[in-house]
Amino acid sequence: MTATDLTITGRVQGVSFRYYTQRAAERLGVAGWVRNEPDGSVAVHAEGPADAVQQLVAWCHEGPPGARVERVDVAEGSETGAAGFGIRY
């Protein structure tokens, strides 16, 4: 198990990034959350099997249709024991 924190910048708000991230995480079996940040970025906390988390990180580099990802900052996170993947507001 591993935990990762991401900050995604670019055109990532107003393009359903949170919704599509939640769907991708659920498909991969990754727990955690996604939220819009006041600076226009999107923050993600992901935890689960290392390969599944890495697949979600790779997905975040592309994002959903309509997004234009310019940068993904990846940092080691702390496991929280999250169950499921939610959208935070």
Side-chain angles (χ1 to χ4, degrees), residues 15-70:
V15 293
S16 299
F17 202 101
R18 292 175 299 168
Y19 170 77
Y20 282 102
T21 302
Q22 181 183 38
R23 286 184 57 190
E26 289 173 345
R27 178 178 47 82
L28 293 166
V30 173
W33 51 263
V34 58
R35 72 173 175 229
N36 285 344
E37 295 293 318
D39 66 0
S41 66
V42 171
V44 175
H45 173 79
E47 55 187 82
D51 61 331
V53 171
Q54 285 305 317
Q55 288 179 55
L56 184 63
V57 170
W59 181 89
C60 286
H61 279 85
E62 297 298 319
R68 189 181 73 245
V69 176
E70 294 176 359

